[in-house]
């Protein structure tokens, strides 16, 4: 078990290091930030001055080790435009995104599990087909389109404006973008729950539980669901990625003042330090989330603890 | 609950259960009559598809919704049972009738501690919470688990098949039911464990004054435990009576055939002249498991030597984990050995590779246990059989002609050539596998548990096919099996393995009649059917 934990943590650290390196390389090779920053008609000396100020005249290797060194000391760089620390800018935006993402995750999990279970228990009946149809719609629907449809429906039919800062107050203001963001995951959770539950229901131990006189409801809640939920944990870990990616688009559509919107703006203005830090933060979120999923397995599945 | 009366514990009268339309027959079972008196064991014997498990499900009130009770009645303790799958049935399951299944480990919830699963049985039947733990511990002791405390805390995957079966039996008897249904509870176990479990069921039956409905395909088991025997075939009872009657004087042809399959004496005369065609000298193989921290060495084969005489069959017997299958991989050169030699016709082939190894491959062929997994579902029969010939350089037209010939030799019709594996039964598929192996005209055939996945009467047919083909084509055979009956039926020589070592080897007739080693003796004695003397 200690070996298991150690290998998972080691793997997470290595993944993070590789990510840092790749982000660094890609951004350096995607064009000269000094040229982009300087006015279009700036003479070469001005551009060179910018380069020196940003340390871009140093050899690649020196820039890289310097970058790693600063990271290790908690220095994540400063926004080229405002001069504020990237970390601070990020932290300002984080609560809005956490609120949106958290509610989206809860909505998609609760609705996905529920719909999947209902479909599995009514296998082959119209309810099952309806749920499965909905789940295809849910993960096939692009979120920018669905978001616009929600906004239009709200404003045209109910006179509720769902975008922008107005969202901060009302409950519905959070629910609309959260639903948009969580829709795709909801569809895949529903589908996965259904197949996992159907598989579990037909396992021999379910038949044996029936033979022991355990009532239907209890068999379902105490035996089938916990077993069926185990593989779902992995799916949730993986779908955090699409949740983060989705938040970039969804925040843009709903003018939600979160990290996703910040990322889009920073890219558009070539704010290197901020982009670098945001990509790093998103990667770290993914890696840590999946590390937590791996460790969660230790708690919920005794068969892994034995290894 | 009084059990002293003469009211039968179970009465099944004229039970007929319909199959859904489109099945291969109209009824799952027809006109079934069973009566079990208090304290008696009734063995329901038949092969898969005979309907014996359907009868058990009906008694448990757990018939699948597609199966419909057409007529008849099931009564426990003289009281007619509620309708199938009705909630009232839950009250009977446990206190009145309980069931254990073939695979004990998978009949337990994998993510709950065993003790909690047993307590749950008591709880849902209204036993006060504070009494549950004590009753469970008592029961765990009653099924003679060496460490009940530890068993209580264990998860199913931490147990052996035998321990898990004890747990499941403990769960079944917790509420002291009047009838215990056991559906092939020992089929997945090794012979020695099987003997222990049978003994346990016998002991508990008396201790708890329970009747037993025991479902099996094995007449050896019947001979050991049955008071009454009912033989089923194709959904109908073909023979019923007291155990001694049926065993000594079987009336129906089918019963006789099943009985013959449980014979445990070598039937091939000892031959003295010996020209070894295939030999192994001091073979050793060790697997390395795990990485970095928990690296462990698992010795699978230790200094095994064997010699296969031309035209003869050598049976390799042993329990699971004894190294039989690892040995077969070494012999086939599918696994490189750590030390020792494999000799084919006097030539060392242990380190050969490339074209030389390829030539050896054509001469030594294999038939595996699972006929379902062994055939590519997208290959037609004829292509599956001809593939080996084509690989070894035979022109396609000739390869197909020879494959067709071989197909008929193994007892399949030429029409089978253009069909896909999933259109065949297990026995037919195994014939295809045999044809595929023999079409290359090998000099040695290695059969690794080649009949273990088949029903008894099919097993007999396939064993007869092996023997017949061997006589006609003259190949030698290494037959790996855990089933002593199979070894007795097919082999000239036998080699007994335990923990990767050879315990004993010699002519089958002699080894089975006079085992020299304790382990061989224990193995033979624990084979079902030995306790009450010879069957038939």
């Amino acid at each position: 078990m200690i070996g298991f934990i150690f290998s998972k943590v080691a793997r997470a650290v290595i993944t993070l290091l590789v990510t840092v390196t790749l982000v660094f390389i890609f951004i350096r090779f995607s064009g000269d930030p000094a040229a982009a920053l300087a006015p279009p008609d700036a003479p070469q000396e001005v551009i060179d001055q910018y380069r020196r100020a940003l340390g871009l005249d140093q050899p690649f290797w020196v820039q890289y080790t310097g970058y790693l060194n600063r990271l290790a000391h908690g220095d994540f760089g400063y926004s080229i435009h405002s001069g504020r620390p990237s970390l601070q800018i990020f932290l300002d935006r984080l609560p809005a995104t956490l609120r949106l993402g958290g509610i989206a995750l809860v909505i998609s999990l609760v609705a996905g599990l529920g719909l999947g279970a209902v479909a599995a228990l009514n296998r082959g009946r119209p309810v099952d087909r309806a749920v499965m149809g909905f789940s295809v719609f849910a993960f096939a629907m692009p979120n920018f389109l669905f978001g616009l449809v929600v906004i239009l429906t709200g404003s045209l039919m109910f006179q509720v404006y769902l975008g922008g800062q107005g969202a901060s107050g009302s409950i519905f203001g959070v629910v609309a973008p959260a639903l948009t963001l969580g829709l795709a995951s909801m569809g895949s959770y529903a589908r996965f729950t259904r197949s996992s539950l159907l598989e579990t229901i037909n396992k021999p131990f379910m038949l044996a539980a029936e033979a022991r006189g355990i009532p239907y409801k209890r068999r379902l809640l105490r035996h089938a669901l916990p077993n069926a939920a185990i593989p779902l944990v992995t799916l949730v870990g993986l779908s955090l990625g699409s949740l983060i990616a989705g938040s970039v688009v969804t925040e843009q559509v709903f003018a939600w003042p979160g990290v996703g919107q910040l990322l889009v703006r920073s890219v558009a203005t070539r704010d290197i330090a901020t982009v670098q830090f945001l990509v790093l933060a998103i990667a770290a979120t993914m890696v840590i989330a999946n590390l937590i999923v791996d460790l969660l397995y230790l708690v919920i599945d005794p068969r892994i603890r034995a290894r | 609950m009084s059990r002293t009366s003469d009211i039968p514990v179970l009465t099944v009268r004229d039970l007929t259960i319909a199959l859904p339309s489109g099945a291969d027959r109209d009824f799952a079972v027809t006109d079934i009559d069973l009566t079990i008196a208090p304290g008696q064991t009734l063995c329901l014997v038949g092969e898969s598809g005979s309907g014996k498990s359907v009868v058990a499900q009906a008694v448990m009130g757990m018939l699948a919704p597609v199966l419909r009770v057409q007529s008849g009645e099931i009564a426990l303790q003289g009281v007619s049972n509620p309708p199938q799958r009705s909630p009232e049935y839950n009250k009977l399951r446990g206190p009145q009738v309980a069931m254990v299944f073939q695979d004990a480990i998978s009949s337990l919830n994998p993510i709950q501690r065993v003790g909690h699963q047993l307590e749950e049985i008591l709880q849902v039947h209204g036993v006060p919470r504070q009494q549950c733990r004590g009753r469970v511990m008592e029961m765990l002791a009653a099924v003679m688990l060496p460490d009940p405390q530890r068993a209580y805390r264990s998860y199913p995957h931490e147990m052996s098949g035998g321990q898990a079966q004890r747990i499941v039996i403990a769960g079944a008897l917790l509420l002291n039911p009047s009838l215990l249904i056991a559906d092939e509870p020992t089929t997945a176990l090794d012979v020695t464990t099987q003997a222990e479990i049978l003994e346990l069921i016998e002991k508990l039956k008396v201790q708890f004054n329970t009747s037993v409905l025991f479902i099996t395909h094995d007449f050896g088991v019947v001979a050991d435990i049955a008071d009454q025997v009912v033989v089923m075939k194709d959904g109908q009872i073909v023979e019923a009576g007291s155990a001694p009657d049926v065993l000594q004087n079987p009336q129906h042809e089918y019963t006789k055939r099943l009985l013959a399959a449980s014979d445990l004496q070598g039937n091939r005369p000892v031959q003295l002249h010996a020209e070894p065609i295939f030999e192994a000298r001091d073979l050793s193989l060790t697997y390395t498991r795990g990485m970095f921290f928990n690296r462990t060495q698992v010795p699978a084969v230790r200094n095994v030597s064997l010699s296969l005489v031309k035209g003869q069959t050598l049976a390799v017997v042993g329990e699971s984990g004894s190294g039989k299958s690892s040995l077969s991989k070494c012999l086939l050169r599918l696994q490189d050995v750590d030390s020792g030699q494999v000799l084919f016709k006097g030539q060392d082939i242990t380190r050969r590779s490339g074209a030389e190894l390829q030539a050896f491959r054509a001469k030594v062929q294999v038939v595996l246990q699972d006929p379902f997994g062994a055939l590519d579902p997208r290959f037609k029969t004829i292509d599956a059989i001809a593939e080996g010939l084509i690989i070894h350089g035979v022109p396609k037209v000739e390869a197909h002609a020879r494959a067709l010939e071989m197909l008929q030799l193994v007892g399949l019709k030429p029409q089978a050539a253009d069909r896909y594996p999933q259109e065949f039964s297990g026995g037919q598929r195994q014939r295809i596998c045999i044809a595929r192996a023999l079409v290359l005209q090998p000099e040695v055939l290695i059969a690794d548990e080649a009949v273990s996945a088949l029903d008894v009467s099919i097993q007999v047919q396939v064993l007869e096919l092996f023997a017949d083909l061997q006589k006609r084509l003259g190949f030698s055979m290494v037959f790996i099996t855990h089933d002593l009956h199979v070894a007795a039926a097919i082999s000239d020589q036998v080699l007994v393995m335990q923990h990767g070592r050879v315990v004993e080897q010699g002519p089958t007739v002699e080894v089975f009649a006079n085992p020299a080693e304790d382990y061989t003796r224990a193995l033979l004695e624990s084979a079902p059917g030995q306790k009450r003397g010879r069957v038939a």
Side-chain angles (χ1 to χ4, degrees):
Chain A
M1 185 162 125
I2 300 209
F4 178 85
I5 296 175
F6 182 82
S7 74
K8 291 292 176 194
V9 172
R11 214 175 282 178
V13 170
I14 292 171
T15 312
L16 269 181
L17 251 169
V18 171
T19 316
V20 169
T21 310
L22 285 179
V23 167
F24 182 81
I25 292 174
F26 283 142
I27 290 189
R28 289 308 121 129
F29 285 121
S30 66
D32 188 349
L37 267 177
D41 55 350
Q44 190 59 38
E45 298 98 79
V46 179
I47 295 178
D48 286 344
Q49 214 172 350
Y50 269 111
R51 292 175 65 92
R52 266 194 302 282
L54 294 170
L56 295 171
D57 56 337
Q58 305 276 334
F60 182 76
W61 187 248
V62 177
Q63 286 185 42
Y64 176 63
T65 46
Y67 175 60
L68 282 188
N69 191 31
R70 267 170 288 155
L71 280 190
H73 289 88
D75 175 3
F76 298 104
Y78 296 84
S79 164
I80 293 176
H81 302 294
S82 65
R84 294 179 62 213
S86 301
L87 179 64
Q88 199 53 51
I89 301 176
F90 168 74
L91 290 179
D92 287 348
R93 297 287 195 123
L94 189 59
T97 293
L98 280 185
R99 195 150 66 103
L100 180 63
I103 293 173
L105 186 64
V106 170
I107 291 180
S108 61
L109 257 182
V110 171
L113 269 170
L115 287 173
V118 167
L121 298 180
N122 293 288
R123 187 189 189 169
R125 304 214 188 108
V127 186
D128 180 20
R129 260 168 270 152
V131 170
M132 285 304 99
F134 169 74
S135 84
V136 170
F137 162 80
F139 61 68
M141 189 75 183
N143 50 6
F144 59 86
L145 181 60
F146 186 74
L148 288 177
V149 170
V150 168
I151 291 177
L152 282 178
T153 318
S155 51
L156 293 182
M157 294 176 70
F158 303 102
Q159 276 77 46
V160 187
Y161 181 56
L162 293 169
Q165 316 296 339
S168 51
S170 70
I171 292 284
F172 193 63
V174 191
V175 170
L179 189 68
T180 308
L181 181 54
L183 190 70
S185 305
M186 186 195 301
S188 56
Y189 295 161
R191 203 153 258 268
F192 201 79
T193 303
R194 176 183 180 269
S195 61
S196 181
L197 195 58
L198 280 178
E199 197 191 316
T200 311
I201 282 175
N202 291 315
K203 288 258 169 82
F205 71 82
M206 289 300 294
L207 200 68
E210 187 178 358
R212 290 177 196 130
I214 296 167
Y216 176 75
K217 227 179 184 171
R218 193 181 167 99
R219 288 203 299 274
L220 203 65
L221 296 177
R222 289 296 192 85
H223 295 280
L225 271 180
N227 274 284
I230 292 175
L232 201 69
V233 173
T234 306
L235 187 68
V236 172
L238 290 175
S239 67
L240 276 184
S242 65
L243 212 59
I244 291 170
S247 77
V248 174
V249 175
T250 308
E251 288 182 8
Q252 201 65 18
V253 171
F254 285 88
W256 190 266
V259 177
Q261 199 189 42
L262 174 66
L263 181 63
V264 173
R265 279 190 195 162
S266 306
V267 169
T269 56
R270 297 205 64 76
D271 191 346
I272 297 187
T274 310
V275 172
Q276 221 166 35
F277 176 71
L278 287 181
V279 173
L280 203 59
I282 289 171
T285 313
M286 280 297 291
V287 170
I288 290 167
N290 280 294
L291 179 66
I292 290 173
V293 165
D294 282 338
L295 298 181
L296 251 183
Y297 263 95
L298 284 177
V299 180
I300 57 179
D301 193 341
R303 285 164 293 188
I304 290 181
R305 250 176 281 163
R307 257 190 253 151
Chain B
M1 209 180 302
S2 104
R3 297 259 176 84
T4 45
S5 63
D6 293 332
I7 301 170
V9 167
L10 172 70
T11 325
V12 176
R13 208 171 296 130
D14 295 331
L15 182 68
T16 297
I17 294 169
L19 284 170
S21 55
D24 59 349
R25 60 180 194 240
D26 290 340
F27 297 102
V29 296
T30 319
D31 298 330
I32 300 298
D33 283 295
L34 297 174
T35 309
I36 306 181
Q40 294 261 300
T41 299
L42 184 140
C43 277
L44 193 53
V45 190
E47 298 176 281
S48 51
S50 64
K52 58 193 195 318
S53 292
V54 172
V55 173
Q57 284 163 21
V59 175
M60 289 301 293
M62 285 167 51
L63 267 188
V66 290
L67 301 176
R68 199 169 40 79
V69 177
Q70 177 106 347
S71 63
E73 190 197 19
I74 299 169
L76 288 166
Q77 306 259 325
V79 181
S80 234
N81 283 4
Q84 293 289 325
R85 295 182 311 281
S86 60
E88 302 94 83
Y89 233 118
N90 277 328
K91 298 191 184 76
L92 299 182
R93 297 181 194 130
Q96 285 273 341
V97 55
M99 184 160 177
V100 298
F101 299 87
Q102 176 169 345
D103 186 351
I105 294 177
S106 63
S107 69
L108 290 164
N109 185 340
I111 59 171
Q112 262 184 26
R113 288 182 202 277
V114 161
H116 297 166
Q117 298 188 45
L118 295 188
E119 279 180 9
E120 183 185 23
I121 301 173
L122 293 170
Q123 273 171 34
V124 298
H125 287 98
V127 175
R129 199 171 263 271
Q130 58 273 24
Q131 291 178 19
C132 290
R133 171 134 195 180
R135 297 251 311 252
V136 167
M137 295 311 295
E138 262 169 47
M139 206 61 203
L140 289 175
V143 295
M144 298 192 290
L145 279 160
D147 186 350
Q149 292 287 352
R150 195 181 148 170
Y152 181 92
R153 287 192 311 269
S154 298
Y155 288 99
H157 69 272
E158 296 167 340
M159 318 189 121
S160 68
Q163 287 171 333
Q165 197 56 276
R166 282 169 197 271
I167 296 282
V168 170
I169 291 171
L173 294 177
L174 264 176
L175 292 152
N176 203 2
S178 48
L179 177 66
L180 173 68
I181 302 177
D183 190 353
E184 303 262 12
T186 59
T187 308
L189 304 173
D190 280 326
V191 264
T192 44
T193 318
Q194 177 179 32
E196 287 167 21
I197 296 291
L198 289 178
E199 210 169 287
L200 178 72
I201 291 178
E202 285 284 86
K203 178 186 110 94
L204 295 174
K205 182 183 107 173
V206 178
Q207 189 178 338
F208 291 86
N209 191 18
T210 303
S211 305
V212 179
L213 172 60
F214 199 102
I215 296 172
T216 181
H217 65 273
D218 187 344
F219 258 103
V221 172
V222 176
D224 281 348
I225 63 164
D227 298 306
Q228 300 283 319
V229 184
V230 171
V231 183
M232 282 184 72
K233 185 175 190 290
D234 300 332
Q236 281 166 329
I237 293 178
V238 295
E239 186 155 0
S242 76
D245 282 355
V246 174
L247 292 169
Q248 301 302 331
N249 192 13
Q251 298 300 313
H252 198 276
E253 206 43 48
Y254 182 69
T255 316
K256 287 178 191 164
R257 221 166 60 221
L258 291 179
L259 266 167
S262 70
D263 194 12
L264 232 194
Q265 284 150 342
N267 62 359
R268 295 194 175 189
V270 181
Q271 285 176 340
L272 289 174
H273 80 281
E275 180 199 338
I277 182 166
F278 200 42
E279 288 172 272
R281 290 186 190 154
D282 281 330
L283 284 187
S284 288
L285 172 66
T286 302
Y287 294 118
T288 305
R289 289 228 179 98
M291 285 166 66
F292 312 124
F293 305 109
N294 34 14
R295 234 173 142 88
T296 46
Q297 305 275 318
V298 185
V301 177
R302 310 189 212 191
N303 300 322
V304 171
S305 299
L306 61 84
S307 163
L308 177 64
V309 174
K310 193 163 193 284
Q312 288 203 346
T313 300
L314 170 73
V316 177
V317 300
E319 301 179 273
S320 56
S322 63
K324 305 184 301 274
S325 287
S326 300
L327 176 64
S328 88
K329 279 187 203 151
C330 297
L331 293 176
L332 283 162
R333 281 292 324 272
L334 291 174
Q335 174 80 51
D336 284 330
V337 296
D338 296 336
S339 62
Q341 291 176 307
V342 179
L343 289 91
F344 179 67
K345 287 183 156 176
Q347 289 182 310
D348 185 358
I349 53 101
T350 327
R351 311 264 171 249
R352 284 201 184 167
S353 58
E356 287 178 327
L357 182 63
Q358 189 75 351
F360 163 75
R361 292 241 187 272
K363 293 293 158 201
V364 180
Q365 283 293 304
V366 66
V367 177
L368 298 166
Q369 171 168 5
D370 175 16
F372 292 86
L375 291 168
D376 187 329
R378 298 193 300 165
F379 268 50
K380 285 179 183 165
T381 309
I382 193 80
D383 295 324
I385 300 176
E387 189 189 19
L389 285 172
I390 293 168
I391 287 169
H392 286 283
V394 176
K396 198 175 169 189
V397 179
E398 193 194 331
H400 275 215
R402 277 168 66 181
L404 203 60
E405 207 178 302
M406 190 45 78
L407 198 62
Q408 284 160 282
L409 210 56
V410 297
L412 291 172
K413 297 206 174 78
Q415 294 92 296
D418 288 327
R419 299 219 217 125
Y420 290 92
Q422 48 278 18
E423 299 173 51
F424 297 99
S425 70
Q428 288 170 326
R429 287 187 204 207
Q430 203 57 301
R431 285 171 192 269
I432 296 172
C433 294
I434 293 169
R436 180 175 62 176
L438 292 180
V439 79
L440 288 163
Q441 299 176 326
E443 297 186 45
V444 174
L445 184 65
I446 295 181
D448 191 350
E449 299 277 11
V451 296
S452 305
L454 306 174
D455 275 327
V456 208
S457 70
I458 308 293
Q459 216 172 53
V460 174
Q461 290 167 16
V462 173
L463 284 176
E464 276 165 8
L465 177 70
F466 269 119
D468 178 49
L469 290 172
Q470 189 175 27
K471 213 176 288 169
R472 282 206 238 176
L473 306 174
F475 56 85
S476 318
M477 214 169 12
V478 177
F479 210 99
I480 292 167
T481 180
H482 70 280
D483 189 335
L484 298 169
H485 301 117
V486 169
I490 196 143
S491 66
D492 301 284
Q493 302 273 324
V494 65
L495 181 150
V496 182
M497 282 186 82
Q498 186 193 19
H499 304 321
R501 288 201 182 84
V502 176
V503 176
E504 182 166 2
Q505 58 181 317
T508 308
V509 180
E510 287 173 18
V511 172
F512 277 32
N514 290 309
E517 297 294 323
D518 288 342
Y519 179 69
T520 315
R521 207 169 299 131
L523 213 55
L524 283 166
E525 276 165 12
S526 48
Q530 304 308 298
K531 216 162 58 187
R532 294 186 190 166
R534 266 314 303 146
V535 177

